[in-house]
């Protein structure tokens, strides 16, 4: 009998096209997602060498980073952004790649639309020129971000040159406390292992609390694996996964469906499979989380206080805390709930799905956004927007004073017109709180959609459990 | 891709941990459809004030403006997959980055662009950081073939690098060209996949 293997080992083994003596592998890539920012130079490379896209039918493109989230009928005002989006359209046409254009109802953030369309399936290898490709690992597919040179490599050959990562398993035992969501789990985990804790690993998330998450919660978890340094996160596929996929436009159809599910059921890690590193977290230790600094590992519970440089584990971390406090305009020892905010951003590939919006609506219903706060909601895709409107969520948002916008990456990275001004402070459901991430001099606090809604209403960081 | 064999240069010190790709090159410089000219965006927010006027930054000091080596902190290049980060470093003239650790995607992107990222234990990086702080008096040599770094005082540090990546860097090889040589294997793989997983 063969050695017990992890989910990662199985997917890896199933995709090795060729293995060199030194262990370097040529890995087959099942699905390739493409967006406008990291692809123009790759298509240009193909053009210059006279190469074609090997598997256009396994490639799907969408503009998301640069698109405006209001007034789309007027096109894109910023010339460079417009050229980049037009370049994507032209490249897709020339190379025969399917594109969901800016005015297509299926357009949205690249990591939202893959799962939504059934383009993302268990056991696959999936890549995209974007670090949050880890999102798709929620389906038990090996999904990771690549640079533009590798985008060109995949377009030309449908493969990548890779070496296997190490296996890490993070188990969250027990049940989550009320008010605690997938976002709080992953922020807490990043706080525990650090922003480089997963470097060189693929993280498999396991345990009762993970198994009970919906697919949307699982996507939030896997999405932020990169913020823990891991290129990919994985959750074993189960009935929740199959139920989510069934009936989606690109999902296997009758006849193939049974065969696909039978295969997917062979994927979960074998009993006794070996992990290079194991972390166990107790669900009961997690309260609603919020970041205070400029790295996702700078995270605390909402009832905590802002740390001091002396809390750093070494000299480098001490000076990093000092720099973060200065950038964020915070004082050591300050109560986190006293931090006043100017803006709220709800959306992104981390938290722009329908369940996230339902959470916001649940907290916002019958309440008002604080007068001092501007709060925007950017749905993850046109289809998420449509569904929210069919459920009447948009009316709750607008009634409460939220700005209800068009789908895109928006203020997660502020490449379009949605951004913070210097010194502005934002409660954000996105994934990065780096210096300048949401606009130069902008100050970001990462939190869950429900916590963001509570902050919008309170006008300061607040404990969502007081709003249930 | 330009070959990397050996390099002798002043090394610039940038003693910060967790330098992310937004810090290396902010989003407004990602709107280009080219790979070149990205020097203007390199470390933009560390390098300029909010009005865009230059402020003190190591790579703009006379001693370091021609530095080809950067010595920096833990987890360099964390964050996004933007290859604009190594493109901008290359446009500045940086061919080698030395740090205690790198984020995976950035590390990989360096090799695709003829940049050698070297991960060393913290104590050795601290030593090189001290050397780098000595300005133009401190010349460091990096020899990829022998996997050695020679400091200004003659001390030698050895480093690890993956054999395949080293081979590609030493010879300036194009990955896609190498993979095309294995086209037959890809054809066979696809035929098998079609038979066993017809839903894909």
């Amino acid at each position: 009998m063969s050695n017990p293997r992890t989910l990662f080992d199985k997917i890896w083994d199933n995709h090795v096209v060729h293995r060199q003596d030194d262990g370097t592998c040529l890995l087959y890539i099942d699905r390739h997602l493409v967006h406008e920012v990291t692809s123009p130079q790759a298509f240009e490379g193909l053009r210059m060498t006279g190469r074609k896209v090997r598997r256009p039918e396994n490639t799907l493109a969408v503009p998301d980073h640069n698109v405006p989230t209001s007034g789309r009928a007027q096109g894109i005002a910023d010339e460079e952004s417009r050229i980049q989006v037009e370049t994507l359209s032209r490249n897709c046409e020339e190379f025969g790649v399917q594109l969901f254009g800016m005015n297509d109802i299926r357009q949205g953030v690249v990591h939202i639309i893959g799962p939504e369309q059934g383009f993302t399936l268990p056991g696959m290898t999936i890549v995209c020129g974007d670090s949050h490709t880890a999102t798709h690992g929620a389906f038990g597919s090996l999904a990771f971000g690549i640079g533009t040179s590798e985008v060109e490599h995949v377009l030309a050959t449908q493969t990548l040159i890779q070496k296997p990562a190490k296996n890490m398993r993070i188990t969250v035992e027990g049940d989550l406390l009320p008010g605690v969501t997938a976002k709080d789990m992953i922020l807490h985990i990043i706080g525990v292992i650090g922003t480089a804790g997963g470097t060189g690993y693929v993280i498999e998330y396991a345990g009762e609390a993970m198994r009970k998450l919906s697919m949307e919660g699982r996507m939030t978890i896997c999405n932020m694996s990169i913020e823990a340094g891991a290129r990919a996160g994985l959750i074993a596929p189960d009935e929740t996964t199959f139920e989510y996929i069934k009936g989606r436009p690109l999902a296997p159809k009758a006849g193939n469906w049974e065969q696909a599910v039978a295969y997917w059921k062979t994927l979960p890690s074998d009993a006794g499979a070996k992990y290079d590193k194991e972390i166990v977290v107790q669900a009961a230790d997690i309260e609603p989380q919020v970041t205070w600094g400029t790295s996702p590992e700078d995270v605390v519970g909402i009832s905590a206080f802002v740390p001091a440089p002396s809390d750093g584990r070494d000299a480098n971390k001490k000076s990093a805390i000092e720099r973060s406090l200065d950038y964020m305009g915070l004082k050591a020892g300050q109560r986190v709930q006293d931090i006043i905010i100017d803006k709220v951003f709800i959306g992104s590939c981390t938290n722009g799905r329908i369940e996230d919006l339902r959470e916001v609506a649940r907290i916002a219903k019958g309440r008002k956004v604080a007068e001092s706060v501007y709060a925007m909601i950017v749905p993850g895709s046109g289809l998420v927007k449509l569904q929210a409107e069919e459920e009447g969520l948009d009316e709750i948002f607008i009634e409460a004073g939220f700005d209800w916008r068009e789908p895109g990456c928006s203020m997660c990275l502020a490449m379009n017109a949605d951004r913070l001004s210097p010194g502005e402070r934002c409660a954000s459901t996105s994934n990065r709180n780096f210096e300048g991430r949401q606009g130069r001099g902008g100050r970001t606090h990462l939190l869950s959609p429900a916590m963001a809604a509570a902050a919008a209403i309170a006008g300061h960081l607040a404990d969502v459990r007081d709003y249930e | 891709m330009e070959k990397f064999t050996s390099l002798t240069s002043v090394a610039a010190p940038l003693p910060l941990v967790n330098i992310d790709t937004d810090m290396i090159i902010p989003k407004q410089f990602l709107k280009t459809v080219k790979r070149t000219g990205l020097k203007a965006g390199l470390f933009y927010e560390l390098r300029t004030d909010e009005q865009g006027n230059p402020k003190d930054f190591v790579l703009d000091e006379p001693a370091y403006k021609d530095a080809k080596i950067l010595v920096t902190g833990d987890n360099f290049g964390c964050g996004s997959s933007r290859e604009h980060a190594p493109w901008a470093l290359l446009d500045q003239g940086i061919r080698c980055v030395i740090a205690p650790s790198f984020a995976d995607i950035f590390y990989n992107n360096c090799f695709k662009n003829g940049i050698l990222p070297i991960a060393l234990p913290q104590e050795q990086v601290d030593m090189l950081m001290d050397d780098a702080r000595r300005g133009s008096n401190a010349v460091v040599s990096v020899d990829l073939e022998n996997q050695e770094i020679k400091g200004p005082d003659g001390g030698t540090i050895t480093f690890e690098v993956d054999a395949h990546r080293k081979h590609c860097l030493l010879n300036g090889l194009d990955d896609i060209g190498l993979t095309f040589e294995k086209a037959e294997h890809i054809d066979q793989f696809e035929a098998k996949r079609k038979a066993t997983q017809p839903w894909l």
Side-chain angles (χ1 to χ4, degrees), chain B residues 4 7 14 51 73 83-84 88 104 149 165 176 178 181 186 192:
Chain B
F4 187 110
L7 182 66
L14 189 57
Q51 285 71 46
E83 202 162 313
H84 308 70
D104 284 338
I149 302 169
R165 286 171 160 156
I176 300 179
L178 290 176
E181 291 171 14
I186 304 174
K192 192 184 86 189

Side-chain angles (χ1 to χ4, degrees), chain A residues 8 12 22-25 161-166 231, chain B residues 162-165:
Chain A
F8 168 74
W12 182 272
D22 70 353
T24 304
C25 293
I161 299 170
Q162 294 281 303
K163 273 199 166 171
K166 290 181 283 183
R231 274 182 93 173
Chain B
D162 173 76
H164 175 78
R165 286 171 160 156

Side-chain angles (χ1 to χ4, degrees), chain A residues 119-290:
Chain A
F119 190 71
T120 302
L121 298 173
M124 283 179 163
T125 47
I126 303 175
V127 296
C128 174
D130 190 283
S131 60
H132 290 109
T133 309
T135 312
H136 308 264
F139 291 79
S141 51
L142 176 61
F144 53 92
I146 55 177
T148 299
S149 295
E150 290 188 319
V151 169
E152 185 180 341
H153 195 281
V154 176
L155 288 172
T157 69
Q158 206 59 34
T159 64
L160 272 179
I161 299 170
Q162 294 281 303
K163 273 199 166 171
K166 290 181 283 183
N167 281 288
M168 182 192 295
R169 180 163 63 185
I170 299 182
T171 305
V172 183
E173 290 181 343
D175 283 319
L176 293 176
L177 299 173
V180 178
T181 66
K183 184 64 166 288
D184 303 301
M185 287 168 83
I186 189 62
L187 285 172
H188 177 81
I189 287 168
I190 295 164
V192 169
I193 72 170
T195 185
T199 303
Y201 292 92
V202 163
I203 301 176
E204 182 179 340
Y205 301 97
E208 204 181 338
M210 291 290 174
R211 290 260 72 86
K212 286 183 179 169
L213 288 178
S214 67
M215 284 316 294
E216 309 216 339
R218 294 179 189 185
M219 284 188 254
T220 301
I221 297 278
C222 289
N223 172 275
M224 288 190 73
S225 299
I226 186 70
E227 269 64 61
R231 274 182 93 173
L234 284 169
I235 295 178
D238 58 13
E239 291 303 326
T240 305
T241 321
F242 310 148
E243 191 57 35
Y244 179 96
I245 295 167
K246 200 169 188 178
R248 294 194 178 261
L250 300 173
K253 300 290 179 289
N256 279 337
W257 173 258
E258 292 71 19
Q259 195 186 349
V261 171
Y263 171 64
W264 297 341
K265 285 182 173 171
T266 68
L267 292 169
S269 298
D270 299 326
K274 195 186 147 299
Y275 293 86
D276 301 287
K277 196 169 182 181
E278 291 254 24
I279 308 265
V280 178
V281 172
Q282 300 303 326
D285 291 344
I286 309 174
E287 69 164 343
Q289 303 282 302
V290 58

Side-chain angles (χ1 to χ4, degrees), chain A residues 14-18 20 22 24 26 28 30-31 37 40-41 51 54-55 58 66 78 80-81 84 87 124 129-131 145-150 152-153 156-157 159 161 163 195-196 199-200 226 229 231 252 256 259-260 263-264 297 316 320 323 413-415 422 432 434-437 439-440, chain B residues 15-18 20-23 27-28 30-35 44-46 48-50 52 55 74-75 78-84 87 101-105 108-109 112-113 122 126 162-164 174-180 182-183 185-187 189-190 192-193 195-200:
Chain A
N14 286 347
H15 288 85
V16 174
V17 172
H18 180 267
Q20 282 174 209
D22 70 353
T24 304
L26 191 62
Y28 195 78
D30 293 315
R31 294 284 188 263
V37 180
Q41 296 87 349
R51 290 167 177 157
R54 184 179 173 99
R55 289 278 161 216
N58 294 342
N66 274 286
D78 181 89
E80 283 185 296
S81 291
Q84 212 170 42
T87 302
M124 283 179 163
D130 190 283
S131 60
I146 55 177
T148 299
S149 295
E150 290 188 319
E152 185 180 341
H153 195 281
T157 69
T159 64
I161 299 170
K163 273 199 166 171
T195 185
T199 303
I226 186 70
R231 274 182 93 173
N256 279 337
Q259 195 186 349
Y263 171 64
W264 297 341
E297 71 184 15
N316 282 328
R323 185 182 168 92
L413 87 165
M415 228 179 134
R432 290 191 176 132
F434 298 156
E435 288 181 23
R437 172 75 178 183
R440 185 167 185 159
Chain B
L16 290 174
V17 295
N18 293 332
D20 57 69
T21 53
D22 279 85
M23 213 184 256
K27 72 276 286 160
Q28 65 269 34
L30 309 187
K31 295 183 182 185
T32 176
V33 293
K34 300 193 173 72
R35 290 172 195 251
Y44 187 73
E45 292 179 9
L46 294 174
T48 63
D49 64 18
E50 278 163 19
K55 56 183 188 189
D74 209 10
N75 199 27
C78 60
S80 91
S81 66
R82 59 187 71 164
E83 202 162 313
H84 308 70
W87 293 339
S101 74
F102 294 88
D104 284 338
I105 305 178
N108 197 40
N109 283 341
K112 311 289 179 191
N113 291 282
Q122 184 74 51
D126 289 345
D162 173 76
H164 175 78
D174 163 25
D175 275 349
I176 300 179
L178 290 176
T179 298
F180 268 115
K182 302 197 177 80
H185 294 281
I186 304 174
D187 292 340
F189 183 94
E190 284 183 337
K192 192 184 86 189
R193 174 179 176 268
T196 56
Q197 297 182 57
W199 63 88
L200 289 179

